[in-house]
Amino acid sequence: MAARYGLLLLTFLLSPVFAAASVNVTFPAQPPSVALLNTIEDNFIGISWELSSFDSLWGTTVDKQPSAMQNYLHNLISRMSKPLRIRVGGNSMDGSSYVPDQTTPLVLTDPNAYFNDVPVNFGPALFDIMNGMSDKVGAMQFMIGLSMRFPERWNEVLRLAQDTENKLGDRLDAMLLGNEPDLYAGHGERGAYSIKDYVPEIDEVMGLLSNNSLLERPIIGGPTICCTWELDDLFKAGFDEFNYKYYTVQHYPNNICNGENESNTNLTYYLTHANIEGFLEWQKEGVIKAKKQNIPVLLTEYNTVSCGGSKISSTFGAGLWAIDTGLKATTMNYSAIYLHTREHGVQYNLFDPPTPETSTEPGWITGSPYYSALFLSEVADPSGSIVLDLNVNKSNTNQFATVAGYGIYDGSGQNRSGLVLINYASPTQEGDDKTQQFSIPANVTDKISYRILTAPSVTEKTDITWAGQTVGVNGDLQGAQHTESLSCDEGCLIDVPGPGAVLAVFGKIGEQRLFTGNSTIAPLPSDTSGSGVIFKMPPFSLSILVVLAFIFL
């Protein structure tokens, strides 16, 4: 009997994976209407941070910055040729006060504040923290929010702009003038505030900045609207007459501001590729006009459910959605996208320290959206890329499609350079195989190298791997990095686990684009207050399992 079970185990371990009927991938030699498409840089994925919790993640002093955060950021930076995009702002920055002589980065001023709008006093040490982290981990480009909420404080905004530019120098990418002004009236901040009130105020603040030599280079972004105003209506009101570097918007498909409901806890919505275009096209007309003006549009804040996320926000399914949404945004002329993260315990966070007070210790928890950022950081070529939604299995309109696919071209659109393939299908019982084969036709490429992002199910929150690696308690990538390869001259099949996503690159040049090596730069802290040594258990290999099987023979 023991011999029989051992043989069955061995047979199971060595048996091939049987996938569902293959999905045909049609990948045009060139994208249609190249002139109208968007060329993205390899740092198109950025991270947006809420000001009020920033010091709990990046540290309170330059000489004591969390090693975990150093690793989290360097993992991304090492996969890009251009600086990592960092935006610091949000509602908390729009409602906070800049105190030039304050020596600490942040001071909470209202412990009873509404959790979605926590004001602080912040000082120039904030920029020291940002510079200190960049010195440790590599190149970053920063965007800082300038408040439009309180006209009586515009001189304070001027001083903030001056100190920001002086402190950050060339690392300062942009200053975002105002945060979600379309909600000022609804939140009771500015009375009956409308576009006709907003545009003259922009003119006034721009004049103030210009008169103090702060607009000698394009440095302002805005309007950073989220919900009720149309970018196109702002243009009609004269907004496009100002010298903006970026037009910025932010958006979430659902919110939990008033508690859980059927919509904001419905994971199925996020597993349906056909829903994404409707979510992103809310500013379609304005984005088209911005494209004609050659001014990039940035999605400076996105995630699953605003006001802190719901129980679905930390799932692997939400992470796949973040990848799908980020890539779809690039096809709709967004030049960069920023995944938003907030204070400890927010369910859509990319990462969380053990507690807000112990961020310099190990024990960090990595959220599914961080794996999304890792995946996206390897998609684009250093010389630029064009992304095309391939509408595999009619996924743009088919509400029952469980797949999505994107073709990646070089920046000229003349050469195919890779693919992203997504499989949302998830096992419903143990042993249920939801692997999906994608059929790549002949004459697309001679060789494909690919990496897999996967988890046991769409509801999984921690057991996630990217290229065979998982993120440890110190932001470090653990396990052997793994890249599959296959010949594809006459066509080939790529198996994408269910659920999972594959980044496939073409030819030897594509393979060289993938990051190889160890991107961990900061060791475990030696002065932790944790329980002791942290052991890393090496993964079992197939050969070990085979040996165990023969023991029963």
Side-chain angles (χ1 to χ4, degrees):
M1 185 65 73
R4 179 185 177 190
Y5 286 138
L7 184 59
L8 287 173
L9 174 60
L10 180 61
T11 302
F12 171 76
L13 290 169
L14 298 180
S15 62
V17 173
F18 293 99
S22 62
V23 171
N24 293 324
V25 176
T26 301
F27 192 173
Q30 296 177 1
S33 306
V34 173
L36 299 178
L37 293 175
N38 196 30
T39 301
I40 57 169
E41 297 180 318
D42 67 348
N43 65 342
F44 75 99
I45 174 62
I47 305 177
S48 168
W49 313 71
E50 195 72 29
L51 172 67
S52 57
S53 55
F54 191 75
D55 60 345
S56 69
L57 299 172
W58 283 45
T60 55
T61 62
V62 172
D63 60 355
K64 199 173 183 181
Q65 295 189 280
S67 57
M69 185 54 64
Q70 294 178 47
N71 289 329
Y72 280 123
L73 296 174
H74 188 258
N75 291 336
L76 300 175
I77 289 170
S78 61
R79 288 161 169 78
M80 302 173 177
S81 68
K82 297 176 177 63
L84 175 63
R85 296 175 185 264
I86 299 291
R87 174 236 182 187
V88 181
N91 287 333
S92 61
M93 195 161 208
D94 214 39
S96 294
S97 296
Y98 180 63
V99 183
D101 59 356
Q102 181 173 302
T103 58
T104 56
L106 303 177
V107 175
L108 291 173
T109 57
D110 183 1
N112 298 315
Y114 175 52
F115 77 100
N116 247 356
D117 193 357
V118 178
V120 299
N121 288 343
F122 64 103
L126 175 71
F127 309 122
D128 295 333
I129 295 296
M130 296 163 69
N131 279 324
M133 186 65 80
S134 187
D135 290 340
K136 294 177 177 70
V137 304
M140 292 189 276
Q141 59 186 57
F142 298 112
M143 292 199 302
I144 293 292
L146 301 179
S147 177
M148 283 284 293
R149 194 183 294 183
F150 310 109
E152 66 274 13
R153 296 187 192 172
W154 284 346
N155 283 328
E156 177 186 309
V157 171
L158 172 62
R159 179 63 186 273
L160 170 58
Q162 291 170 327
D163 287 359
T164 301
E165 191 158 58
N166 290 337
K167 282 276 191 177
L168 296 180
D170 292 340
R171 288 170 173 161
L172 179 61
D173 182 33
M175 294 182 283
L176 303 184
L177 196 53
N179 184 76
E180 299 177 355
D182 49 334
L183 295 185
Y184 283 175
H187 289 169
E189 300 290 350
R190 299 289 307 276
Y193 194 72
S194 66
I195 290 175
K196 70 177 182 179
D197 303 306
Y198 170 74
V199 172
E201 289 188 351
I202 289 291
D203 189 30
E204 186 176 345
V205 176
M206 285 284 208
L208 183 65
L209 297 173
S210 178
N211 292 337
N212 286 272
S213 303
L214 287 167
L215 300 182
E216 294 181 354
R217 61 179 174 121
I219 197 69
I220 299 298
T224 321
I225 52 176
C226 70
C227 308
T228 63
W229 292 355
E230 297 287 339
L231 188 58
D232 188 41
D233 289 338
L234 283 163
F235 290 158
K236 292 174 182 176
F239 182 80
D240 57 351
E241 297 175 6
F242 302 114
N243 186 24
Y244 272 80
K245 180 177 182 178
Y246 301 124
Y247 293 134
T248 56
V249 298
Q250 44 204 47
H251 205 38
Y252 295 73
N254 283 295
N255 74 79
I256 198 169
C257 307
N258 297 312
E260 290 189 352
N261 57 46
E262 184 177 348
S263 177
N264 61 36
T265 57
N266 177 18
L267 183 57
T268 303
Y269 168 89
Y270 296 89
L271 307 179
T272 307
H273 176 76
N275 292 334
I276 294 177
E277 184 168 350
F279 160 60
L280 288 171
E281 68 180 0
W282 67 298
Q283 296 292 346
K284 183 177 180 179
E285 295 303 319
V287 172
I288 291 173
K289 288 186 178 179
K291 175 71 173 177
K292 293 178 180 178
Q293 298 175 34
N294 291 317
I295 296 180
V297 179
L298 312 184
L299 185 61
T300 48
E301 183 177 320
Y302 86 105
N303 215 308
T304 46
V305 179
S306 67
C307 292
S310 74
K311 62 185 179 183
I312 60 94
S313 297
S314 56
T315 65
F316 182 64
L320 290 177
W321 173 87
I323 291 171
D324 202 355
T325 299
L327 292 172
K328 185 69 175 182
T330 70
T331 73
M332 299 174 70
N333 284 314
Y334 289 92
S335 295
I337 55 173
Y338 292 71
L339 274 166
H340 193 55
T341 200
R342 276 180 45 174
E343 69 273 8
H344 182 270
V346 165
Q347 296 194 69
Y348 61 56
N349 280 351
L350 279 69
F351 22 59
D352 263 337
T355 71
E357 296 77 28
T358 58
S359 62
T360 57
E361 300 180 13
W364 284 61
I365 296 173
T366 303
S368 177
Y370 180 73
Y371 287 92
S372 309
L374 263 183
F375 185 103
L376 292 171
S377 69
E378 298 201 62
V379 166
D381 191 87
S383 61
S385 294
I386 290 174
V387 181
L388 180 68
D389 188 334
L390 299 179
N391 192 26
V392 294
N393 204 25
K394 299 182 180 179
S395 55
N396 282 343
T397 55
N398 180 6
Q399 287 284 328
F400 299 101
T402 57
V403 295
Y406 294 89
I408 314 297
Y409 299 85
D410 65 10
S412 69
Q414 300 302 306
N415 301 290
R416 293 173 288 205
S417 65
L419 286 164
V420 170
L421 304 171
I422 300 173
N423 179 11
Y424 285 111
S426 185
T428 56
Q429 59 186 4
E430 188 175 351
D432 188 11
D433 182 11
K434 293 296 184 179
T435 299
Q436 177 63 64
Q437 281 191 332
F438 289 80
S439 178
I440 314 303
N443 302 316
V444 170
T445 181
D446 59 343
K447 178 184 178 182
I448 285 180
S449 302
Y450 64 96
R451 290 179 172 173
I452 300 171
L453 177 73
T454 189
S457 72
V458 291
T459 57
E460 178 61 43
K461 296 184 178 182
T462 57
D463 185 10
I464 302 170
T465 58
W466 165 234
Q469 295 182 305
T470 190
V471 184
V473 296
N474 199 42
D476 52 320
L477 287 171
Q478 300 180 348
Q481 189 179 70
H482 191 62
T483 304
E484 304 276 358
S485 63
L486 48 83
S487 298
C488 206
D489 289 281
E490 299 179 2
C492 54
L493 297 171
I494 297 179
D495 288 340
V496 181
V502 158
L503 170 60
V505 295
F506 294 169
K508 292 183 178 179
I509 294 177
E511 188 175 13
Q512 293 168 2
R513 189 178 88 218
L514 296 174
F515 173 80
T516 57
N518 182 9
S519 55
T520 298
I521 59 171
L524 281 168
S526 58
D527 59 340
T528 71
S529 60
S531 59
V533 178
I534 296 174
F535 295 94
K536 298 179 184 178
M537 185 67 72
F540 281 103
S541 66
L542 178 61
S543 61
I544 294 174
L545 290 173
V546 170
V547 171
L548 292 175
F550 273 108
I551 291 174
F552 293 98
L553 292 174

